Amino acid sequence: MEKRIFVLAIFFVWPVAARAAAPMNFLAGDGEKAAPVVALMWGLLIISVVVVVIIGALVFVGVRPGRGQKPPEPGTRIAVARPAGGLNWIWIGVSISTFVLLISVGWTMAVLAKVNAPQNAAAPFIIEVTGRQWWWEVRYINPNSSRTFTTANEIHIPTGVPVKFRLLGGDVIHSFWVPKLTGKTDTIPGQTNTLWLDARDPGLYRGQCAEYCGAQHAHMSILVVAQKPAQFAAWWNRQLQDATSPATPALAGRDDFVMHCGNCHAVRGTDAAGVYGPDLSHLASRQMIAANSFPNTPGYLSGWISDPQAMKPENLMPKLELSGAELTQIRTYLETLK
Ligand code: CUA
């Protein structure tokens, strides 16, 4: 009885629990650009399973000794028999395989055409994403240049609006993949690739670099935050603003930040204007740090500022020799960047 309950638990409870804890689950999708890919994936999976079952059954029947036929003595030779009509197996087999393969190819092409079809092509909503070792630079592009800004790693999009992603390669080849929203597309140096996303429901969608790109490939995550258009507009307007001048206690932190970090990082509205690392203008509004590798909490932030090489070895941010007071001041300042 207990055993049966255990088996039941494995079959019914485990998949539900696994789904809940699997933000990268690609067996279910969300949005117009995901549905065709998910359907194709399931279709091809079912076709493959059916083919394996049929081939397995045929092999089993084929190697079984015929009725009334004794298994040969070891070491004896068996004359090759050519029963009449044997070639039909070949013709029928090749025809069926060709037919199934043609359907798969046609279906794949149709899905590719559907997910790549330009929508609202006249005035698309464009986000430019550059893959870098090991983080994502994100630029919101707008014909009105005062509404263009740069951020990193956390990508907000409005629901129900097809968003055109322009994917650029910053150093080596990376691959942009948010499995619940659509398939993978590489970011390749010297080339601009295009990808469309269209989230149906508000929520968080985890993504991941899907092309090996060096030591911290596994810590090059993406967080897509899909919001209702009104909330998204509010977020965008907030991001466009410069960092507010901090209250007096954090002012010393701002000066420390500009001096120690400003060559690589930018915070709009200050003298920090570096372009080598992620733009930190509204860092405190982001949920995670270090390309979504750690929660954006005071503890992790302090750990990261004091020794980024311990938390994410080989990343380009050097370990700075900061005094305890400087570390606290810089962290306190960064926490004001809402
Ligand atoms: Cu970037 Cu893997």
Side-chain angles (χ1 to χ4, degrees):
M1 187 63 196
E2 266 175 31
K3 202 170 165 192
R4 234 182 281 167
I5 291 175
F6 180 69
V7 171
L8 276 179
I10 286 192
F11 270 89
F12 293 103
V13 180
W14 180 64
V16 174
R19 256 194 83 173
M24 300 283 289
N25 177 17
F26 54 87
L27 300 177
D30 181 282
E32 211 174 297
K33 298 298 175 191
V37 179
V38 172
L40 175 70
M41 201 270 309
W42 277 107
L44 293 185
L45 185 67
I46 290 167
I47 290 175
S48 310
V49 169
V50 169
V51 167
V52 168
V53 168
I54 292 175
I55 300 286
L58 288 176
V59 168
F60 182 73
V61 169
V63 298
R64 227 170 35 134
R67 222 178 297 157
Q69 206 179 6
K70 263 189 267 163
E73 292 293 323
T76 52
R77 293 184 175 205
I78 308 164
V80 175
R82 296 188 190 281
L87 257 189
N88 282 344
W89 282 98
I90 308 283
W91 293 126
I92 294 170
V94 168
S95 310
I96 294 176
S97 316
T98 309
F99 181 65
V100 172
L101 283 176
L102 277 178
I103 289 181
S104 308
V105 170
W107 190 359
T108 306
M109 301 305 272
V111 167
L112 285 178
K114 193 162 182 354
V115 297
N116 285 327
Q119 287 165 318
N120 52 3
F125 184 94
I126 300 176
I127 300 177
E128 197 174 85
V129 173
T130 308
R132 299 192 186 279
Q133 283 174 317
W134 291 280
W135 58 284
W136 303 92
E137 184 181 316
V138 182
R139 271 178 75 73
Y140 285 72
I141 308 288
N142 195 275
N144 174 358
S145 63
S146 71
R147 292 196 62 79
T148 293
F149 74 95
T150 303
T151 178
N153 301 320
E154 186 176 305
I155 305 174
H156 290 235
I157 58 172
T159 53
V161 177
V163 181
K164 180 181 184 176
F165 278 77
R166 241 190 244 154
L167 302 176
L168 311 175
D171 35 39
V172 300
I173 299 177
H174 304 272
S175 188
F176 184 87
W177 187 37
V178 186
K180 280 200 169 180
L181 294 178
T182 192
K184 304 166 186 171
T185 305
D186 283 0
T187 69
I188 300 171
Q191 187 174 321
T192 303
N193 285 344
T194 302
L195 170 98
W196 289 86
L197 283 192
D198 188 352
R200 183 182 47 207
D201 301 317
L204 300 180
Y205 298 90
R206 269 299 288 257
Q208 176 63 36
C209 177
E211 176 78 42
Y212 181 72
C213 55
Q216 293 297 338
H217 158 67
H219 291 140
M220 192 169 165
S221 302
I222 304 155
L223 187 64
V224 172
V225 182
Q227 294 171 302
K228 296 234 169 75
Q231 282 165 308
F232 171 77
W235 174 85
W236 189 350
N237 289 334
R238 182 81 198 89
Q239 297 286 317
L240 284 171
Q241 290 166 24
D242 286 347
T244 40
S245 202
T248 324
L251 270 177
R254 186 186 66 184
D255 296 340
D256 282 339
F257 174 82
V258 170
M259 187 167 70
H260 291 287
C261 320
N263 278 339
C264 296
H265 293 285
V267 169
R268 288 191 300 278
T270 73
D271 290 337
V275 293
Y276 298 109
D279 184 294
L280 302 180
S281 295
H282 292 277
L283 175 72
S285 73
R286 297 182 207 157
Q287 306 190 12
M288 311 278 281
I289 58 168
N292 302 301
S293 306
F294 308 101
N296 190 359
T297 60
Y300 280 107
L301 200 51
S302 290
W304 179 259
I305 300 165
S306 63
D307 193 355
Q309 293 300 321
M311 291 174 73
K312 202 165 159 181
E314 292 187 35
N315 87 82
L316 289 181
M317 179 163 161
K319 181 179 175 177
L320 299 174
E321 297 307 327
L322 297 171
S323 70
E326 284 172 327
L327 171 63
T328 308
Q329 282 170 348
I330 290 177
R331 194 208 66 215
T332 310
Y333 168 63
L334 289 176
E335 287 177 315
T336 68
L337 300 177
K338 294 261 160 41

